[in-house]
Amino acid sequence: ASLARTQADATGAAQASAAATLQAQGLSCLSSSVEVDASGFATPAGNPASVGATVTCQVNLADTVPGLPGSLTISATVRSPLDTYRER
């Protein structure tokens, strides 16, 4: 997302990357969400800014330990800096 030129492109890239990462790691989420903070694109060039994403996945515990009932919600947040001097 931090390499995107626009806020909309950053949001789309973050969502696609999160979905691909969950699939590559073999996680089968009962439900998942991706919240993207691309507000850094509103910061004028020359000022430090960043973009971030929080990925949440509800994991079926039976997928981790056979016979274990219930589910567990896990989440992770990542932030990446935007190039300070690149046009936004």
Side-chain angles (χ1 to χ4, degrees):
S2 63
L3 297 177
R5 290 269 185 204
T6 67
Q7 189 170 357
D9 288 347
T11 299
Q15 290 173 334
S17 179
T21 299
L22 289 173
Q23 183 177 6
Q25 292 184 4
L27 288 175
S28 178
C29 301
L30 297 172
S31 66
S32 65
S33 67
V34 180
E35 293 181 31
V36 180
D37 174 11
S39 61
F41 278 92
T43 304
N47 296 299
S50 65
V51 294
T54 299
V55 179
T56 302
C57 173
Q58 185 180 11
V59 179
N60 183 357
L61 292 178
D63 289 345
T64 59
V65 178
L68 191 61
S71 64
L72 177 67
T73 301
I74 56 173
S75 65
T77 301
V78 174
R79 294 206 69 79
S80 294
L82 293 173
D83 185 336
T84 302
Y85 299 103
R86 185 168 140 191
E87 183 181 343
R88 297 184 191 135

